[in-house]
């Protein structure tokens, strides 16, 4: 399958960017819990709706049942979170990318659990799994070399270690370049960098790296 | 010194709770960058203002200069973040607690760097260092046993591993109790627990634990 999959969860709607920018005939949509209703309100009919739906009203639930073809309803008290179930379904389709919306803001335990969950789902896969809101793009990387392009809408690029240390981080094309620098967990060394060339590279040898691209 | 120190950074103001609740004669206030202006607008005169102040207008800068006694002005391009400098100053005073406001929302690289920085500043200290917004209280714990009280305003309690694993986590007094459970980084097992008794305990033997108390 070459389709892109976009997941929309029920986070605060003021953080969700204009979803029509991310929609075309090659995109499948997955609604998670209250995110399903948000998609329907924006005239996107998701392929599947996943969740325990304890956060939608009776009225909204009627609309969801009448409109969405595939419903995967779970008990509220289960081991997996709704987002894990949505990522299980999405990765099973072997898409070309997964983008997650509506998973930032509000409850920070939910945001952090979702952000760290990217590690588990990204690791065995070569396609990008990103978490996106109006101000931020979050992605996870494992050791290797990567090329990235300038994005004028999200000009700041921060690298954050999610492991004890990132070993031998090198950055080229950046305002603050690095050569083989070790970056500890809790270090703020790589916060608020910027690409000064149209493309840049980053590489590292050991660790789990989170990249956040953002604007003010 | 037995004073409490409250730090206010320049994050989105809609997430900052009513600060007067946290103010009394035993409280010192530290303004960070644009947070200084927010404090002055709410009639709290900080003991010290720290930052590069590249995010305040000329008008706001005039007010800050005229009002705040102690200014610690840094170059925008420095190794430490403004929050690190504020935490350096605050911990040097040996207060009874440190609470951080205005550090959530907006740019998630800033939020994550600040949240992980709590690890570095909490580790050698016995008093609590917390990050607080309207919906969330975040704190860091190292191995040991801890007692906590019910907080009806933030009823959900989540435990998130910031290390490879949390070893032997036990929870008593909680809706979902645990005995000697290992919790991996990226696990969502301990998201959205609740205290069902007025007090509860948690303990663990190895790892770095983040506790997030929140409401919907």
């Amino acid at each position: 399958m070459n389709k892109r999959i976009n997941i929309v969860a029920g986070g605060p709607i003021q953080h969700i960017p204009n979803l029509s920018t991310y929609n075309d005939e090659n995109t499948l949509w997955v609604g998670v819990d209250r995110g399903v209703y948000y998609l329907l309100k924006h005239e996107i009919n998701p392929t599947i709706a996943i969740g325990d739906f304890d956060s939608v009203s009776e009225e909204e639930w009627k609309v969801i049942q009448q409109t969405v073809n595939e419903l995967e309803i779970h008990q509220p008290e289960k081991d997996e979170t709704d987002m894990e179930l949505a990522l299980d379904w999405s990765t099973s389709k072997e898409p070309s990318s997964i983008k997650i919306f509506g998973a930032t803001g509000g409850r920070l335990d939910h945001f952090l659990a979702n952000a760290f969950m990217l590690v588990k789902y990204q690791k065995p896969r070569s396609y990008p799994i990103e978490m996106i809101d109006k101000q931020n793009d979050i992605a996870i990387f494992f050791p290797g070399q990567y090329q990235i392009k300038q994005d004028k809408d999200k000009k700041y690029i921060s690298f954050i270690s999610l492991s004890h240390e990132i070993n031998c981080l090198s950055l080229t094309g950046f305002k603050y370049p690095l050569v083989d620098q070790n970056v500890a967990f809790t270090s703020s060394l790589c916060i608020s960098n910027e690409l000064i060339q149209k493309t840049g590279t980053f590489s590292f040898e050991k660790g789990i790296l989170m990249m956040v691209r953002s604007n003010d």
Side-chain angles (χ1 to χ4, degrees), chain A residues 83-132:
Chain A
M83 182 58 78
E84 273 177 298
L85 297 165
L87 280 164
D88 285 340
W89 186 90
S90 302
T91 51
S92 76
K93 304 294 177 204
E94 296 184 11
S96 60
S97 71
I98 296 176
K99 291 183 171 65
I100 301 166
F101 303 92
T104 60
R107 276 181 60 182
L108 293 174
D109 53 341
H110 285 176
F111 162 63
L112 287 163
N114 289 334
F116 294 172
M117 199 183 292
L118 287 185
V119 174
K120 182 173 105 180
Y121 285 91
Q122 182 64 73
K123 189 160 195 181
R125 293 172 183 93
S126 57
Y127 56 82
I129 305 179
E130 291 166 277
M131 193 178 284
I132 298 173

Side-chain angles (χ1 to χ4, degrees), chain A residues 12-27:
Chain A
I13 58 176
Q14 64 268 30
H15 299 303
I16 300 178
N18 180 356
L19 294 180
S20 63
T21 320
Y22 298 91
N23 197 17
D24 65 18
E25 57 188 13
N26 282 315
T27 306

Side-chain angles (χ1 to χ4, degrees), chain A residues 37-69:
Chain A
Y37 192 72
Y38 182 81
L39 277 168
L40 296 178
K41 263 183 72 183
H42 289 79
E43 297 179 346
I44 296 174
N45 195 336
T47 300
I48 185 168
I50 296 173
D52 52 36
F53 300 101
D54 57 357
S55 62
V56 300
S57 70
E58 213 166 305
E59 201 53 50
E60 292 166 349
W61 180 232
K62 268 187 200 155
V63 176
I64 290 170
Q65 278 186 308
Q66 281 161 9
T67 323
V68 182
N69 276 331

